[in-house]
Amino acid sequence: MRYSSLSLLRQGLAGHEGWPQAWRSPDLKPSYDAVVIGGGGHGLACAYYLAKVHGIRRVAVLERGWIGGGNTGRNTTIVRSNYFFPESVALFDFALRQYEQLSEELNYNIMLSQRGIMNIGHSDHQMEMMARNVNAMLVNGIDVELLDAQQVRSELPMANFSPDARYPIMGGFTQRRGGVARHDAVAWGYARAADALGVDIVQNCEVRDFRIEGGRVVGLETSLGPVSAGAFGLSASGHNGVLAKKAGFRLPLTSYALQAMVSEPIKPVLDTVAMSWATGMYVSQSDKGELVFGAGLDLYPSYAQRGNLPVTQGVVAGMLEIFPLFRGLRMLRQWAGIVDVPWDYSPILGPSPVGNLHLNTGWGTGGFKATPAGGYFLAHSMATGGHHPISAPFDISRFHTGAFIDEAAGAGISH
Ligand code: FAD
Ligand code: PYC
């Protein structure tokens, strides 16, 4: 739906009471052609592409809470495609290119801000590894630049460049097409577009079990009753391991809490995303002025969605070492999401060991940037029964063949 400036003004003056719902709230039907488990950005994107690209419109997305209330609404909104291996670059740059035209495609402003992402190096060793990374990324066709200390200083003049700093700044590298996008808007944009194509988005619907016959899933048991379908997609970040176990197989991943926090808002001071692997800190500034910053994984596996204090303290300390001027700021909020981290830090995509159940899992700490890709390739797998060439290297079989795609470094701050 498009709004004229007059109708926007009228809504504003009327206290926003006349807005139509952006998507319906349908009852769960007994059967569909395809059912997606998990109403995060990936699940919603999958439903949209099933309908849009594959013409499959009898689709339901089942979300146990509210859409975007999982990691989609908890992440720090960084998008980038500066990964090491060609397989990863193909995947993440596919997503970034989708993001670059998504506002127009969905007619929904996802507030993509390509303000660049800057990784800061603090030692000769780190600069050496950054040079190797940058060379690999350039070979893969990614727009990255290695920077010396002066170049970093011209972009982050308020950082601590003292030679006596605990973390001296020796240089860095940047991807200028990287940046941030509004996480909720990505979920809402896909939800509205999928709904318009006939997809049922069913919230407060928890998937509790699988009915499996002859090696195939014939239906799901949910908190709103049973549902059957021809194809199923598992896209329930943070709980994919739990659900896979109910479907009778084990996913090679471990679930941890990942934390983030925001400061009180201040005037614009930071116009890129700054990351420091050595301190485990990254920070950007939101359009409201808050500093959005975060940490690496919590130290032990957990499903407690709040994170533990030593990690919070560590990230604040790391940020203040690099940006001492933020010292007087108050912290407004801290939170965490549960992330599923595979053994090689790359996602697990495509058909599962159970026929007609398809996987979109293992995005670990870095799946927001991949939302359009995760959705697109899950839809492809559900519609065709097989892989798109870009998702094929991420098949679960790599944990048998040993063809790992170890992106621990590409995943950056969070491992
Ligand atoms: P989710 O949004 O988590 O969606 C899964 C949904 O499944 C949830 O809504 C959940 O309620 C639902 N669900 C679970 N179990 C069931 C069930 N049994 N039945 C029905 N529904 C169920 N990535 C980046 O690229 N950039 C970042 O800057 C970044 N920062 C992050 C910061 C933090 C603090 C966290 C926690 C994560 C961050 N990530 C980042 C990772 C990113 O958030 C996730 O990889 C991504 O959002 C996963 O999207 P999703 O749609 O798969 O998952
Ligand atoms: O994947 O870029 C990322 C990221 C940053 C913080 C958490 N994940």
Side-chain angles (χ1 to χ4, degrees):
M1 180 177 297
R2 292 184 189 275
Y3 295 101
S4 67
S5 15
L6 194 62
S7 70
L8 284 174
L9 182 65
R10 202 178 299 125
Q11 289 294 347
L13 293 174
H16 303 287
E17 281 174 5
W19 293 115
Q21 274 189 286
W23 51 86
R24 298 162 297 126
S25 297
D27 291 334
L28 182 67
K29 299 188 182 82
S31 90
Y32 292 90
D33 291 334
V35 166
V36 186
I37 306 170
H42 285 249
L44 294 162
C46 170
Y48 168 72
Y49 293 120
L50 278 170
K52 174 91 190 310
V53 177
H54 302 282
I56 302 173
R57 295 186 175 213
R58 291 185 64 247
V59 175
V61 179
L62 309 185
E63 166 53 50
R64 73 173 177 178
W66 63 96
I67 61 168
N71 289 339
T72 296
R74 291 165 189 271
N75 72 76
T76 43
T77 77
I78 295 170
V79 298
R80 58 186 176 87
S81 58
N82 52 359
Y83 281 73
F84 188 81
F85 288 102
E87 294 87 347
S88 316
V89 167
L91 181 68
F92 286 101
D93 209 55
F94 176 92
L96 188 51
R97 280 182 276 117
Q98 295 298 310
Y99 266 137
E100 286 171 337
Q101 51 85 55
L102 200 59
S103 293
E104 197 176 345
E105 176 170 348
L106 301 179
N107 182 28
Y108 203 102
N109 187 359
I110 64 156
M111 297 167 76
L112 176 67
S113 164
Q114 290 176 293
R115 60 185 70 176
I117 173 148
M118 167 85 74
N119 291 269
I120 306 169
H122 302 285
S123 65
D124 288 339
H125 169 74
Q126 231 186 355
M127 290 312 302
E128 158 84 14
M129 293 316 292
M130 281 189 178
R132 288 170 187 269
N133 264 315
V134 163
N135 283 334
M137 289 170 199
L138 289 172
V139 169
N140 291 331
I142 294 302
D143 57 310
V144 283
E145 296 163 38
L146 192 64
L147 306 174
D148 62 24
Q150 274 315 314
Q151 289 168 306
V152 174
R153 189 170 201 158
S154 69
E155 300 193 27
L156 294 174
M158 70 298 216
N160 183 1
F161 282 88
S162 159
D164 301 329
R166 181 165 177 202
Y167 295 98
I169 298 179
M170 320 263 304
F173 76 97
T174 184
Q175 182 185 22
R176 299 202 187 277
R177 282 168 63 235
V180 291
R182 174 76 198 272
H183 47 11
D184 299 318
V186 171
W188 298 339
Y190 273 123
R192 190 178 71 166
D195 174 88
L197 293 171
V199 169
D200 281 359
I201 298 169
V202 188
Q203 303 184 78
N204 298 312
C205 179
E206 181 180 18
V207 174
R208 295 187 169 156
D209 215 343
F210 294 80
R211 273 186 291 124
I212 297 179
E213 286 171 18
R216 291 174 64 80
V217 182
V218 292
L220 304 175
E221 302 298 340
T222 83
S223 54
L224 298 181
V227 59
S228 63
F232 297 86
L234 183 55
S235 191
S237 270
H239 295 84
N240 285 313
V242 177
L243 285 162
K245 194 172 173 200
K246 288 179 192 275
F249 61 96
R250 201 173 153 219
L251 285 173
L253 44 80
T254 312
S255 301
Y256 297 89
L258 182 70
Q259 299 193 33
M261 43 226 102
V262 292
S263 74
E264 61 187 322
I266 53 174
K267 287 187 177 172
V269 286
L270 181 62
D271 61 1
T272 187
V273 181
M275 269 196 177
S276 154
W277 294 340
T279 61
M281 177 286 304
Y282 62 94
V283 57
S284 67
Q285 189 168 20
S286 76
D287 295 339
K288 284 188 283 184
E290 300 156 338
L291 295 172
V292 181
F293 55 106
L297 291 169
D298 267 18
L299 304 178
Y300 47 81
S302 165
Y303 286 105
Q305 212 168 225
R306 55 174 183 263
N308 63 57
L309 190 57
V311 172
T312 320
Q313 288 175 316
V315 68
V316 172
M319 187 168 74
L320 297 184
E321 288 291 342
I322 298 178
F323 298 110
L325 85 165
F326 297 151
R327 189 150 282 159
L329 292 182
R330 280 169 296 192
M331 201 157 95
L332 277 193
R333 292 187 301 281
Q334 172 274 359
W335 66 90
I338 304 303
V339 296
D340 293 336
V341 183
W343 299 341
D344 65 352
Y345 304 97
S346 286
I348 304 170
L349 309 177
S352 82
V354 178
N356 78 339
L357 175 62
H358 300 264
L359 301 173
N360 175 49
T361 178
W363 289 104
T365 61
F368 172 68
K369 69 176 84 65
T371 305
Y376 192 92
F377 298 125
L378 179 59
H380 183 95
S381 185
M382 290 170 72
T384 67
H387 272 290
H388 184 283
I390 293 181
S391 69
F394 298 92
D395 191 83
I396 194 169
S397 61
R398 73 179 188 273
F399 294 94
H400 294 289
T401 62
F404 298 124
I405 305 168
D406 190 336
E407 284 288 2
I413 197 78
S414 315
H415 293 108

